[in-house]
Amino acid sequence: GLSFEQISTGIEEYKQKTGLLFMLESLNNFAANGRVSPAVAKIAGVLGIRIVGKASDVGTLQQMHKCRGEKKALATILEEMEKHGFTGGKVRIAHGLNENGAKEMLNVIRTAYPNIEATIVPFTGLCSFYAERGSVMVGFEG
């Protein structure tokens, strides 16, 4: 029974309380799109470099950290969640054929916030293409 304006306002207010962070296992799509050279993408893969980033305020992917190994990247995601206002709200974890990484991400979060409401799901649609195999995305409420 709400007006369009009331619904729009409610969505915008809720959006301010949410965040989306990701860990990319591969830079192949970055290389294909010209964001990094193919040589850099290859070297990052060999060294086990993971990119941690976020969805920017204008809807683009913003690279924030380069981490050596998945464990460090997942810990960095929790640090960034906290910097963006996470105090134990809802968490949604999606993965690109990396269920173990998603479960480990949940364990990292639950160690600090044991009572969170969380769900793990596989990527679908565009996420599975752009984030690629091995990646993890974490949506959360602040």
Side-chain angles (χ1 to χ4, degrees):
L2 300 175
S3 70
F4 177 79
E5 290 77 20
Q6 290 170 315
I7 293 170
S8 295
T9 300
I11 290 171
E12 284 301 316
E13 288 172 359
Y14 181 69
K15 187 174 132 185
Q16 298 304 314
K17 299 176 188 176
T18 64
L20 177 65
L21 297 166
F22 60 85
M23 175 203 68
L24 300 179
E25 182 180 71
S26 166
L27 296 180
N28 291 336
N29 271 337
F30 275 30
N33 293 322
R35 291 185 179 190
V36 298
S37 76
V40 169
K42 184 80 162 172
I43 291 169
V46 169
L47 295 176
I49 303 294
R50 306 291 192 268
I51 300 299
V52 172
K54 69 175 186 171
S56 72
D57 295 336
V58 294
T60 60
L61 299 180
Q62 179 181 349
Q63 178 181 320
M64 300 167 65
H65 301 279
K66 298 171 192 154
C67 302
R68 184 101 189 248
E70 183 172 85
K71 189 173 187 171
K72 175 64 176 158
L74 298 178
T76 300
I77 287 175
L78 178 58
E79 291 170 13
E80 286 298 328
M81 288 170 67
E82 291 171 333
K83 286 179 188 176
H84 289 87
F86 182 73
T87 58
K90 292 179 185 175
V91 174
R92 301 296 179 255
I93 303 170
H95 64 89
L97 299 175
N98 187 3
E99 188 172 1
N100 289 338
K103 287 178 179 177
E104 183 59 29
M105 181 77 254
L106 180 57
N107 288 337
V108 167
I109 298 168
R110 279 226 164 107
T111 298
Y113 302 94
N115 298 318
I116 61 165
E117 178 188 324
T119 304
I120 295 176
V121 297
F123 285 163
T124 58
L126 289 175
C127 290
S128 62
F129 176 76
Y130 285 107
E132 296 187 71
R133 177 184 298 243
S135 299
V136 173
M137 298 176 90
V138 181
F140 60 94
E141 289 182 347

